[in-house]
Amino acid sequence: MDGMRLRFVMVSVLAPLLVIAVAIVGARWVGDEVAADSRSAMTSALDSLPADTQVAGFTDWSRVRQALRLGGSKSASARAALTDDASLRDLSTRSVIGQHTEEMHDAYGWSVADLDWEAYGQAKDGSVMVGKLDDSVSFASVRAHLGKLGYADDDGVWTIDADNNSTVNPELASTLAAVTLVPSLRLVVAADRAPYASAVLETIHRDAPSLLSVRAAADVADTLAGADSVLLQTGSFTCQSASLDDAGADVKAQARAAIDRAGELVEPTYAGRALDAGSRTSETMRFAFGFRSPSVAARQLQVRRALASGPFIGRSGQLEESLVLRLSAVRGSAAVLRFSHDPDSTAYMGADGPLLFAGCPLP
């Protein structure tokens, strides 16, 4: 994981990929205005990230506030509850600013309490946070706060030196090193470096392709629609995050025996996981894996379904103590597993522990 603190759970909304494609084409700019965007929050968020994004996180803050029964309150107590309760429920794990709610409110004039949604993307060339502000915050206020914090405006890109600035938490200053604003879409774009902020703007303005232009990524994202928190990764990152590399020889032997019984795992092109808050006692987790063809997806569905019960290899207890499989299906070239999840058990949105059914071939 990089220094950006990238941190790595189904409602039955499985919209066809064609709907996403048509929706993307449907929102067009006319001068400085934009047509009403009828797309889902997740589609809009992932469409703002460049095509070469390797890891993407999405948090639907509007839905999270509803799940936590905070309504529209933006009081200090509501902001504190949003920070603490969302973290306890694993709903803010995919956010890079969710733990700084009160600090951002004071310093920047806005926080996740003011966002409809947040997207985070990591690529080889940089990392970016894109947030959609609700109507309660003016962009004039955002600019004023940036100026007071010591940001310098260079042709619309506000930058700050994280090493030499004393008024902003260095961790925040690193995450929000280069900020640019898109008022017509009510977007705040914050990258780790100015050139990457400009590259993301090209994607937002349709001068460069987005992550959803990658068919394999869009296939997987399509199966996770409607979730409160989403993680999407390329195959190589998926393999790293769910691997048994650090396990002992006995655990690896147990994993190999389970795979021998179930069938060999194939590395996915992209994979994702998603959390729907549901009630305080029961949530829904979805895991989706994209492959090169529907036939491979169908075979892998059988393998991964067989690995989704029994001993929790690499951890303690039984998988069913945390995840109970409710549905498995193939959607195009993607295999999907839906589980009911005990929110007081293992948290999965961090994607930082062995999970055999969500992993890759053993070395």
Side-chain angles (χ1 to χ4, degrees):
M1 307 304 171
D2 64 14
M4 295 287 294
R5 314 175 323 288
L6 179 64
R7 299 168 299 160
F8 301 9
V9 166
M10 150 165 192
V11 298
S12 56
V13 182
L14 298 175
L17 179 62
L18 179 60
V19 172
I20 290 180
V22 170
I24 291 172
V25 174
R28 294 295 183 184
W29 279 262
V30 180
D32 293 330
E33 302 297 326
V34 65
D37 191 348
S38 61
R39 301 174 300 172
S40 72
M42 189 185 76
T43 299
S44 298
L46 297 183
D47 198 28
S48 70
L49 301 179
D52 62 348
T53 298
Q54 297 174 315
V55 178
F58 165 75
T59 308
D60 190 328
W61 284 110
S62 177
R63 285 176 56 98
V64 169
R65 289 191 293 270
Q66 291 177 13
L68 299 179
R69 299 181 180 180
L70 297 177
S73 175
K74 299 194 177 181
S75 65
S77 60
R79 293 193 300 269
L82 181 60
T83 301
D84 298 337
D85 295 350
S87 177
L88 288 173
R89 293 282 301 271
D90 202 22
L91 293 168
S92 61
T93 306
R94 301 313 329 149
S95 169
V96 292
I97 58 174
Q99 75 274 31
H100 299 295
T101 305
E102 197 62 27
E103 184 177 4
M104 286 193 63
H105 170 78
D106 293 339
Y108 289 86
W110 63 275
S111 69
V112 296
D114 306 295
L115 292 182
D116 288 341
W117 52 259
E118 173 195 347
Y120 178 79
Q122 179 187 3
K124 290 181 179 179
D125 295 334
S127 303
V128 67
M129 187 284 303
V130 182
K132 183 178 181 181
L133 284 169
D134 62 24
D135 294 333
S136 68
V137 180
S138 75
F139 279 82
S141 172
V142 174
R143 295 186 187 95
H145 278 83
L146 290 172
K148 290 179 181 178
L149 290 172
Y151 281 79
D153 180 9
D154 182 7
D155 196 25
V157 180
W158 298 75
T159 57
I160 194 169
D161 188 337
D163 294 328
N164 299 324
N165 180 72
S166 60
T167 62
V168 180
N169 178 331
E171 194 174 12
L172 263 182
S174 177
T175 301
L176 309 176
V179 178
T180 187
L181 309 174
V182 188
S184 62
L185 298 176
R186 300 204 57 79
L187 297 182
V188 176
V189 180
D192 61 343
R193 62 201 72 171
Y196 196 62
S198 298
V200 175
L201 279 182
E202 291 184 4
T203 298
I204 291 172
H205 290 311
R206 311 291 175 79
D207 295 324
S210 80
L211 180 59
L212 289 184
S213 72
V214 182
R215 177 63 184 259
D219 277 348
V220 173
D222 183 39
T223 69
L224 305 177
D228 301 324
S229 178
V230 174
L231 168 67
L232 183 66
Q233 301 170 295
T234 60
S236 59
F237 274 87
T238 299
C239 294
Q240 294 173 26
S241 65
S243 75
L244 291 163
D245 289 349
D246 296 330
D250 290 346
V251 172
K252 289 181 178 179
Q254 186 183 17
R256 171 51 62 191
I259 290 176
D260 287 344
R261 292 191 298 269
E264 193 65 33
L265 290 166
V266 172
E267 180 176 325
T269 53
Y270 282 82
R273 58 185 69 182
L275 169 63
D276 303 305
S279 70
R280 185 61 190 87
T281 58
S282 179
E283 300 174 332
T284 299
M285 280 290 309
R286 278 176 276 174
F287 294 83
F289 315 93
F291 299 99
R292 301 195 180 280
S293 70
S295 60
V296 175
R299 291 195 296 272
Q300 282 297 295
L301 180 67
Q302 301 304 316
V303 173
R304 293 170 188 272
R305 185 168 60 189
L307 295 170
S309 63
F312 204 148
I313 297 173
R315 310 195 195 196
S316 61
Q318 301 284 309
L319 262 167
E320 290 87 348
E321 294 172 4
S322 176
L323 296 170
V324 178
L325 186 62
R326 300 300 186 188
L327 177 147
S328 60
V330 173
R331 309 290 182 185
S333 295
V336 186
L337 299 174
R338 187 187 77 190
F339 300 85
S340 58
H341 172 246
D342 179 355
D344 293 324
S345 65
T346 304
Y348 296 98
M349 292 308 296
D352 55 359
L355 196 60
L356 194 58
F357 74 81
C360 296
L362 296 181

